[in-house]
Amino acid sequence: MNPDQIWQAIDTHRARLCDLLDELSDDEWRRPSLCTGWTVRDVAAHLTMQQMSLGDVLRVLGKWRGSLDRTGEHVARLRAAELTTAQIIAAIRGMIGSRRHNFGVTRLETLIDILVHSQDIAIPLGRRLDLPPDAAAAAATRSLTMRMPPPLPATKKLAGFRLVATDTSWSAGDGPEVRGPMAALLLVLCGRLAALPQLSGDGLADLTTRLSAPAPGSWPETPRAPTPRAPIKEK
């Protein structure tokens, strides 16, 4: 995907997520998301923080909680408490058409963020918010090939498996095969075990065991920096 296509995918998904959020009841906003310890409201508030400048980042660091993950979690929850539901939706919708992204990352991290966190909201509520396979493929490729910061825990655990999409021309890695829809592969790369039932293949049982092993910390895995380790093929 070229830059214009990536931003178009981000804009389209922001709009679709806002439409979904508009439909939610007060109870649904309070329900747990796929991110451990985070409500739907917390995740939606986090998505209002996709255009932080250097000054914004420095202000966030001023609320330091011992690590970037814990600090980000703390700030997102503060924002969830400060903003009304209408303000959260308006903030996300207000970014549509903009080409700004957080200081220190690229548009691809913004793509991963909106795609994955939209599913953190939709899936536990029983809502459907499909991810375009081409956008999910671009996000998965970025997740696997970034160098800094360090790879996500789930991404590292997928080393030694061959991932194959069944709805687009994309594959990565070597080893026992795990196949399924591109969206499900992206979610598993980002630690969302809820997508595992959509996958199949000789490597699925071992991958499930590996991903289910407890890991320290509860910060939801959002786009950070996997290192390259296997050939990737896509359209």
Side-chain angles (χ1 to χ4, degrees):
M1 299 178 74
N2 63 41
D4 286 342
Q5 291 171 325
I6 290 168
W7 281 117
Q8 183 177 7
I10 291 168
D11 285 346
T12 299
H13 212 67
R14 280 174 171 160
R16 294 182 63 218
L17 176 61
C18 286
D19 290 343
L20 184 152
L21 293 174
D22 273 328
E23 298 175 357
L24 300 186
S25 66
D26 291 343
D27 175 66
E28 286 175 307
W29 278 86
R30 292 190 292 267
R31 289 189 196 174
S33 72
L34 288 186
C35 300
T36 303
W38 285 50
T39 65
V40 165
R41 185 181 192 82
D42 295 332
V43 176
H46 169 75
L47 286 172
T48 69
M49 302 165 59
Q50 288 192 313
Q51 295 186 335
M52 292 194 298
S53 65
L54 175 58
D56 295 326
V57 171
L58 293 176
R59 282 187 285 275
V60 166
L61 294 178
K63 303 180 187 298
W64 188 251
R65 289 296 183 273
S67 74
L68 286 174
D69 286 350
R70 287 192 292 272
T71 302
E73 178 180 3
H74 173 67
V75 172
R77 284 179 171 153
L78 287 177
R79 194 160 180 81
E82 292 168 355
L83 299 178
T84 66
T85 296
Q87 287 172 327
I88 291 173
I89 297 172
I92 298 171
R93 201 180 292 278
M95 291 186 283
I96 296 172
S98 171
R99 297 298 179 260
R100 288 180 55 200
H101 51 72
N102 284 343
F103 175 80
V105 301
T106 74
R107 57 186 170 270
L108 286 166
E109 281 74 47
T110 305
L111 176 67
I112 301 170
D113 211 32
I114 190 66
L115 294 183
V116 174
H117 281 318
S118 72
Q119 302 307 296
D120 291 335
I121 291 171
I123 291 173
L125 295 179
R127 304 279 184 141
R128 184 163 180 169
L129 194 59
D130 292 338
L131 303 185
D134 57 346
T141 297
R142 179 65 170 181
S143 296
L144 285 165
T145 56
M146 289 173 59
R147 293 175 174 82
M148 286 297 294
L152 293 169
T155 304
K156 292 189 288 186
K157 289 180 179 181
L158 267 72
F161 294 93
R162 177 166 176 76
L163 309 179
V164 179
T166 56
D167 54 354
T168 191
S169 181
W170 184 94
S171 62
D174 295 299
E177 186 172 286
V178 177
R179 59 184 177 273
M182 191 67 243
L185 293 173
L186 172 63
L187 291 177
V188 169
L189 275 168
C190 293
R192 275 52 175 187
L193 274 62
L196 283 171
Q198 299 180 55
L199 305 181
S200 61
D202 294 340
L204 180 59
D206 287 342
L207 178 61
T208 300
T209 299
R210 188 182 295 187
L211 289 174
S212 300
S218 60
W219 170 251
E221 293 187 3
T222 49
R224 290 195 287 131
T227 50
R229 59 179 150 278
I232 296 173
K233 300 177 182 178
E234 59 178 322
K235 288 181 179 177

